[in-house]
Amino acid sequence: MTDVSALHGRFGGTVLTRRDEGFEAARALFNSAIETTPAVIAQCLNPTDVKEALAFARDRGLPVAVRSGGHSVAGASLVKDGLVLDLRRMNAVTVSPDARTAVVGGGATWSAVDRACQAHDVATTGGRVSTTGVGGLTLGGGSGWLERRFGLACDNLLSVDLVLADGRTVTASETERPELFWALHGGGGNFGVATSFTFRVHPLPEFSFALMLRPAAHGEEMISRYRDFCADAPEELGGGLLYLTGPPEDFVPPDLVGRLCCGLLVTWIGRADELRSVAAPLLDLAPDTALVTDIPYADFQCSLDDPPGYRNYWSAEYLSALPDEAVRRFADSAERMPCPSPSQQALLPWGGAVARGTDWPMANRDAPWVVHPFGLWEDPADDDRARMWARGLREELAPWSTGATYLNFIGDEGADRVVAGFGAANYARLAAVKAEYDPDNVFDRWHNVLPATQRRRSADTVGATE
């Protein structure tokens, strides 16, 4: 058992070890398949707590993980027999509507941001549900429903405050440490503990959505229509095509509940009457159910929250095109999705402000489509079947893959996939930033970028043994 008495004396938050009440609740993740048990969970209240906990871990040789508030589907916010920096109490949000900025604590979820912004009729691109953590999503790029109009979450970053592995506190922005600021736009949590974010926010006085469902047998027709519709859709329109289990909601016909369905979710920055007009080519499909309504954006986000406690496996692929053969393969693969379950097989349109965005460390932002198998199931006996479905979908669509991927949508798929997510040139640039700010690779839990010095040593070792 790790002796934490030295940390207690200088730590303002709560320190939990395995013998403490509340440890298991603090350890639990969204993904019930993750069983990693740390030695210490340090529930930080401020950057000073982060600094002290890092020093404690460094002095005792403990590996470190950072928990910034959200899902951590792959389990990267826990570390076996190490120390977890739990930032979830650092969740304050301050919105300045005149300046159009929001200052957000490193442990906040998007629910806190969306609610605070809604009071001022503003918003910024966040996750696709309210329970996603701001830190992980933003540092990984930040895809969400508003992205085609406002860009990714990272595109709206104005500055980030961090505590580095050696205990220094720094700020990164366009004018302060600009190379580090570049790296934080998709380079993940490789460089330090992000304790505060400042975002640009945008006017969002009105928001609406449409949800259409049909039996899965109509999937190819719906995908083809959606593909053609998105080719010149306005940037105010977002959403995606989803295979899903028909939910037990009042607006869903009883014969679709519990069955594999093909659905269209269309979001709109504006009123529902405008959306009805814009989405008419999709509504003309005569779906079995069609819900079109105005809704406050923050309420919409909460209505989509993923249920915790399921076993999870996610993956993703960028597509350069979606020809008829790809449509057929996408539809056929959905038949292998776990059903009934909360799983989804998603086809998401990019373009608009995403494609126009600055060249941050994410490869292939100009890809028109993102495919996202999103597996959630209960029975461990279904582990292999669910993972084979997700991997099989990627394999089926490989002929149209750009070779890159959105790293926030995948778990640990190996070092080659990390490089593919950034692109080789961006990875090399990130490795140089890593060598400057985290040369000992303390922050190595999530799509790790090796410091350039370590990469050279590894290459020299390989060369010496050949």
Side-chain angles (χ1 to χ4, degrees), residues 124-135:
T124 195
T125 303
R128 286 185 165 80
V129 296
S130 74
T131 51
T132 301
V134 171

Side-chain angles (χ1 to χ4, degrees), residues 158-159 171-179 181-182:
L158 297 175
S159 68
T171 297
S173 68
E174 289 186 353
T175 57
E176 295 182 83
R177 299 175 179 83
E179 190 68 359
F181 191 55
W182 172 84

Side-chain angles (χ1 to χ4, degrees), residues 20 53 103 107 121 140 185 212 219 263 282 294 301 315 327 384 445 449:
D20 292 322
V103 179
D121 288 335
H185 288 71
M212 294 158 262
L282 302 177
D294 293 300
Q301 289 285 75
S315 193
V327 168
D384 289 343
R445 296 288 299 151
V449 173

